[in-house]
Short mmCIF file of all heavy atoms in Angstrom, two decimals:
data_model
loop_
_atom_site.label_atom_id
_atom_site.label_comp_id
_atom_site.label_asym_id
_atom_site.label_seq_id
_atom_site.Cartn_x
_atom_site.Cartn_y
_atom_site.Cartn_z
N VAL A 104 -7.94 20.02 8.41
CA VAL A 104 -8.18 20.97 7.38
C VAL A 104 -8.23 22.35 8.04
O VAL A 104 -8.95 22.60 8.97
CB VAL A 104 -9.41 20.70 6.54
CG1 VAL A 104 -9.19 19.49 5.73
CG2 VAL A 104 -10.65 20.60 7.36
N ARG A 105 -7.40 23.27 7.52
CA ARG A 105 -7.43 24.68 8.04
C ARG A 105 -8.51 25.48 7.32
O ARG A 105 -9.06 26.42 7.89
CB ARG A 105 -6.08 25.32 7.73
CG ARG A 105 -5.03 24.81 8.58
CD ARG A 105 -3.74 25.54 8.36
NE ARG A 105 -3.06 25.71 9.60
CZ ARG A 105 -1.93 26.36 9.74
NH1 ARG A 105 -1.39 26.97 8.71
NH2 ARG A 105 -1.36 26.39 10.91
N PHE A 106 -8.79 25.16 6.11
CA PHE A 106 -9.79 25.88 5.32
C PHE A 106 -10.87 24.87 4.92
O PHE A 106 -10.72 24.22 3.89
CB PHE A 106 -9.21 26.53 4.09
CG PHE A 106 -7.95 27.33 4.45
CD1 PHE A 106 -6.66 26.90 4.28
CD2 PHE A 106 -8.11 28.64 5.00
CE1 PHE A 106 -5.58 27.63 4.61
CE2 PHE A 106 -7.04 29.41 5.36
CZ PHE A 106 -5.79 28.90 5.23
N PRO A 107 -11.92 24.75 5.67
CA PRO A 107 -12.93 23.67 5.46
C PRO A 107 -13.46 23.60 4.06
O PRO A 107 -13.60 22.50 3.54
CB PRO A 107 -14.07 24.05 6.45
CG PRO A 107 -13.34 24.81 7.58
CD PRO A 107 -12.32 25.59 6.88
N VAL A 108 -13.76 24.74 3.36
CA VAL A 108 -14.30 24.66 2.06
C VAL A 108 -13.22 24.21 1.01
O VAL A 108 -13.43 23.21 0.32
CB VAL A 108 -14.89 25.98 1.61
CG1 VAL A 108 -15.38 25.96 0.12
CG2 VAL A 108 -16.06 26.31 2.47
N ALA A 109 -12.06 24.88 1.07
CA ALA A 109 -11.01 24.59 0.06
C ALA A 109 -10.45 23.21 0.28
O ALA A 109 -10.28 22.44 -0.66
CB ALA A 109 -9.92 25.58 0.14
N GLU A 110 -10.10 22.83 1.52
CA GLU A 110 -9.51 21.54 1.74
C GLU A 110 -10.50 20.48 2.10
O GLU A 110 -10.36 19.29 1.69
CB GLU A 110 -8.49 21.71 2.94
CG GLU A 110 -7.37 22.65 2.57
CD GLU A 110 -6.42 22.87 3.74
OE1 GLU A 110 -6.79 22.62 4.88
OE2 GLU A 110 -5.31 23.32 3.47
N GLY A 111 -11.57 20.78 2.80
CA GLY A 111 -12.50 19.79 3.19
C GLY A 111 -13.39 19.30 2.06
O GLY A 111 -13.76 18.14 1.90
N ILE A 112 -13.79 20.22 1.18
CA ILE A 112 -14.73 19.87 0.06
C ILE A 112 -13.94 19.76 -1.25
O ILE A 112 -13.98 18.69 -1.81
CB ILE A 112 -15.81 20.92 -0.07
CG1 ILE A 112 -16.67 20.96 1.21
CG2 ILE A 112 -16.67 20.65 -1.31
CD1 ILE A 112 -17.73 22.08 1.30
N PHE A 113 -13.28 20.80 -1.69
CA PHE A 113 -12.66 20.76 -3.02
C PHE A 113 -11.49 19.79 -3.09
O PHE A 113 -11.34 19.07 -4.04
CB PHE A 113 -12.20 22.15 -3.43
CG PHE A 113 -13.34 23.15 -3.67
CD1 PHE A 113 -13.34 24.37 -3.02
CD2 PHE A 113 -14.33 22.78 -4.52
CE1 PHE A 113 -14.41 25.21 -3.25
CE2 PHE A 113 -15.48 23.68 -4.75
CZ PHE A 113 -15.41 24.91 -4.11
N LEU A 114 -10.63 19.73 -2.06
CA LEU A 114 -9.55 18.81 -2.09
C LEU A 114 -10.06 17.35 -2.06
O LEU A 114 -9.59 16.51 -2.80
CB LEU A 114 -8.64 19.00 -0.89
CG LEU A 114 -7.39 18.05 -0.76
CD1 LEU A 114 -6.48 18.24 -2.00
CD2 LEU A 114 -6.66 18.33 0.52
N THR A 115 -11.09 17.10 -1.26
CA THR A 115 -11.71 15.74 -1.32
C THR A 115 -12.29 15.40 -2.63
O THR A 115 -12.06 14.27 -3.12
CB THR A 115 -12.82 15.71 -0.21
OG1 THR A 115 -12.26 16.00 1.08
CG2 THR A 115 -13.44 14.30 -0.15
#
Side-chain angles (χ1 to χ4, degrees):
V104 292
R105 288 183 145 184
F106 307 102
V108 173
E110 295 175 343
I112 297 173
F113 294 128
L114 180 62
T115 302

